[in-house]
């Protein structure tokens, strides 16, 4: 049993470095695929890492310097693609890991993109709307050397949203002298955004959760679900899983979580959250609990929809869920992955589970380039097809290599990128 693995007092250990995690995952896949050493060396590093320190005028008239990053891991299969996050814990290594995961995510779903990510070290809750706009516009201008519809296309991520994308689109367009909607995705509909984009990541999470249950022979109405994180991804996942008949028993946000073993009334909870800005205090909850305690609840399915490093050597053996659907990027360390694998906990990996967002980002970019817009029904149907096909291909490879879904997904993705790299050859 997994208890034998729990000998290290990891509670005091530093959190895993996400870039080390990403590289360890890649190395494992490279070995399974027997990639040659040259190809390994190319793909296990990011291609470009760009750091900017830039001034922003604050409301009190002072100037503050912020640090931000845009990293492109790979450009082989098309323009780089990936979100921008605002968070106090943003670091270059985190953004490098996230950019690498974007490459694999786009390859798993077979989108014609490479991978990128951006971030600014800041606490957006401490900035006024004006300061946030000033910071976003100046950051957009600083990274405009890299971004554009043919080179690198940002999107929302943690603590950024449609408004952030509108400011970036406007800044780049003003510098060009004409509107360039395809510069970013996740924009408001009024300036070239796509139907279905705000709900896309959550919708993809629903599709893969249903797929996993179907393959495991589980009836949604008999599955309890705990969701960590109630931002764009967590809240939409809760709403759509509830609508499919799953019993959502616990959710949390940055302030903490709520639990009712008989199930939460998710539509009422969404209203409560919109009114109060938090899930805490919801009248339908029986208990309030911490984010860490939520992960250890006796539930069938866990959906981490917040940040990296939620499952580690420290807590993996205590997780009671039988299925983990990674709506967040990088929530599971390689050590926790091993423990889950030994204990038979099925993990639908981030690069598959949360690919719905970038998939509809791709639809948005295509619509912008053609100035021809689709209906939501068509978008959702295409999204579902792409996610189900990717799941099938990942599952086939996992079975072929007798490995986890994560390694199945990596084998699919890394092989696609390696094949593209090989056929293009090395310049000059
Ligand atoms: N930030 C999202 C992700 O991690 C979406 C990226 C995109 O749409 O480009 O997948």
């Amino acid at each position: 049993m997994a208890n034998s693995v729990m000998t290290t007092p990891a509670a005091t250990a530093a959190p895993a470095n996400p870039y080390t995690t990403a590289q360890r995952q890649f190395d494992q896949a490279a070995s399974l695929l027997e990639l040659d050493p040259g190809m390994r060396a190319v793909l296990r590093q990011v291609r470009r890492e760009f750091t900017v320190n830039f001034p922003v005028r604050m409301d009190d008239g002072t100037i503050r310097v912020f640090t931000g990053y845009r990293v492109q891991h790979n450009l082989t299969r098309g323009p780089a693609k990936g979100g921008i996050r605002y968070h106090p814990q943003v670091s270059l290594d985190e953004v490098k890991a996230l950019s690498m995961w974007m490459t694999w995510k786009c390859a798993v779903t077979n989108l014609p993109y490479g991978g990128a990510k951006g971030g600014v070290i800041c606490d957006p809750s401490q900035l006024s709307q004006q300061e946030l706009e000033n910071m976003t516009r100046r950051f957009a201008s600083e990274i405009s050397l890299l971004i554009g519809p043919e080179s690198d296309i940002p999107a929302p991520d943690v603590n950024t949203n449609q408004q952030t994308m509108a400011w970036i689109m406007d800044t780049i367009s003003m510098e060009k002298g004409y509107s360039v909607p395809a510069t970013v995705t996740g924009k408001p509909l009024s300036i070239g955004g796509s139907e279905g984009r705000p709900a896309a990541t959550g919708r993809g999470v629903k599709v893969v959760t249903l797929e996993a249950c179907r393959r495991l022979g589980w009836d949604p109405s008999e599955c309890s679900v705990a969701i960590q994180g109630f931002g764009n991804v967590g809240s939409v996942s809760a709403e759509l899983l509830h609508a499919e008949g799953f019993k959502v028993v616990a959710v949390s946000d940055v302030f903490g979580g709520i639990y009712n073993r008989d199930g939460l009334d998710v539509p009422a909870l969404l209203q409560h959250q919109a009114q109060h800005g938090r899930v805490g205090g919801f009248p339908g909850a029986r208990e309030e609990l911490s984010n860490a305690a939520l992960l250890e609840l006796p539930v069938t399915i866990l959906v981490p929809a917040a940040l990296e490093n939620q499952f580690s050597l420290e807590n993996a053996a205590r997780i009671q869920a039988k299925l983990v659907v990674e709506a967040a990027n990088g929530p599971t360390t390689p050590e926790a992955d091993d423990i889950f694998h030994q204990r038979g906990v099925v993990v639908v990996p981030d690069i598959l589970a949360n690919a719905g967002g970038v998939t509809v980002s791709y639809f948005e970019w295509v619509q912008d380039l053609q100035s021809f817009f689709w209906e939501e029904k068509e978008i959702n149907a295409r999204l579902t097809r792409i996610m189900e096909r990717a799941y099938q291909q990942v599952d086939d490879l996992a079975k072929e290599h007798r490995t986890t879904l994560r390694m199945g997904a990596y084998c699919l993705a890394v092989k696609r990128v390696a094949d593209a790299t090989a056929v293009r050859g090395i310049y000059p």
Side-chain angles (χ1 to χ4, degrees):
M1 278 302 290
N3 291 349
S4 60
V5 190
M6 293 298 299
T7 46
T8 314
T12 51
N17 177 328
Y19 193 48
T20 310
T21 297
Q23 289 189 317
R24 284 175 64 185
Q25 292 168 344
F26 168 77
D27 288 340
Q28 212 184 326
S31 298
L32 279 171
L33 290 168
E34 297 175 8
L35 277 197
D36 78 68
M39 188 65 78
R40 272 184 197 231
V42 172
L43 299 182
R44 82 189 296 280
Q45 297 279 2
V46 301
R47 168 128 177 228
R48 296 177 178 148
E49 40 190 276
F50 190 42
T51 301
V52 291
N53 301 296
F54 57 98
V56 177
R57 192 176 301 281
M58 308 303 279
D59 290 346
D60 64 4
T62 59
I63 305 293
R64 197 172 136 192
V65 173
F66 288 83
T67 298
Y69 310 100
R70 185 72 183 170
V71 175
Q72 298 174 341
H73 169 256
N74 191 278
L75 301 161
T76 306
R77 287 164 36 90
K81 187 84 190 80
I84 290 174
R85 68 170 53 177
Y86 293 167
H87 198 275
Q89 259 89 54
V90 162
S91 68
L92 182 55
D93 272 355
E94 181 194 43
V95 178
K96 285 164 74 171
L98 290 161
S99 74
M100 194 169 185
W101 286 324
M102 284 308 306
T103 301
W104 311 138
K105 197 183 299 185
C106 293
V108 162
T109 37
N110 212 6
L111 306 177
Y113 287 139
K117 203 78 170 200
V120 178
I121 305 170
C122 67
D123 181 352
S125 70
Q126 301 302 309
L127 299 174
S128 72
Q129 190 73 350
Q130 187 60 55
E131 290 168 341
L132 211 48
E133 176 172 349
N134 293 351
M135 188 192 78
T136 300
R137 287 183 177 281
R138 181 60 188 250
F139 179 59
S141 177
E142 293 291 331
I143 62 170
S144 65
L145 287 172
L146 292 177
I147 67 175
E150 287 162 354
S151 53
D152 183 351
I153 307 131
D157 197 79
V158 175
N159 291 330
T160 57
N161 55 28
Q162 292 197 350
Q163 180 60 72
T164 323
M165 296 306 115
W167 289 328
I168 296 175
M169 180 272 199
D170 184 69
T171 301
I172 302 297
S173 298
M174 295 313 286
E175 289 184 358
K176 286 277 181 201
Y178 51 88
S179 289
V180 198
T183 300
V184 292
T185 58
K187 299 177 294 295
L189 271 182
S190 55
I191 53 169
S194 177
E195 295 287 353
R197 177 62 185 85
T201 312
R203 187 171 294 279
V205 167
K206 180 202 78 172
V207 173
V208 297
T209 308
L210 281 173
E211 266 306 287
C213 288
R214 191 176 65 74
R215 287 155 196 270
L216 290 160
W218 296 352
D219 178 350
S221 67
E222 283 164 17
C223 297
S224 56
V225 184
I227 301 175
Q228 185 204 44
F230 212 67
N232 176 46
V233 179
S235 64
V236 175
S237 301
E239 187 181 2
L240 298 181
L241 290 172
H242 175 81
E244 290 293 334
F246 289 92
K247 192 162 74 171
V248 178
V249 296
V251 301
S252 64
D253 57 26
V254 283
F255 307 109
I258 56 170
Y259 177 47
N260 181 341
R261 68 171 65 224
D262 295 326
L264 296 162
D265 176 351
V266 176
L269 173 61
L270 288 165
Q271 270 183 4
H272 169 89
Q273 201 260 358
Q275 270 168 17
H276 299 93
R278 57 174 71 199
V279 297
F282 178 56
R286 296 245 177 89
E287 263 176 63
E288 306 233 341
L289 74 187
S290 69
N291 265 286
L294 175 137
L295 300 177
E296 297 181 22
L297 286 172
V299 292
T300 327
I301 303 172
L302 259 183
V303 181
L307 295 170
E308 300 90 65
N309 290 335
Q310 298 306 304
F311 304 116
S312 64
L313 194 56
E314 197 275 316
N315 65 354
R318 292 197 304 272
I319 301 306
Q320 300 187 60
K322 303 277 176 289
L323 172 67
V324 174
V325 180
E326 293 184 336
N329 291 308
T332 310
T333 64
E335 289 80 11
D337 250 341
D338 289 346
I339 295 170
F340 286 158
H341 189 46
Q342 285 165 28
R343 296 183 52 221
V345 178
V346 177
V347 179
V348 184
D350 46 7
I351 57 173
L352 169 64
N354 69 37
V358 72
T359 301
V360 179
S361 276
Y362 166 63
F363 300 157
E364 178 174 335
W365 177 76
V366 168
Q367 292 170 84
D368 288 339
L369 292 177
Q370 300 185 337
S371 299
F372 179 74
F373 291 86
W374 317 345
E375 288 173 11
E376 183 168 7
K377 208 170 140 215
E378 184 177 357
I379 284 159
N380 291 345
R382 282 181 186 267
L383 168 64
T384 302
R385 275 208 299 279
I386 288 180
M387 298 293 292
E388 287 179 353
R389 185 189 60 198
Y391 198 118
Q392 181 66 51
Q393 291 172 335
V394 165
D395 197 47
D396 288 348
L397 280 169
K399 291 203 170 93
E400 187 183 316
H401 291 282
R402 291 205 188 83
T403 181
T404 58
L405 289 174
R406 187 182 316 282
M407 278 306 116
Y410 264 82
C411 286
L412 179 63
V414 171
K415 181 154 186 345
R416 280 186 174 145
V417 180
D419 286 351
T421 308
V423 76
R424 280 182 61 161
I426 302 294
Y427 173 87

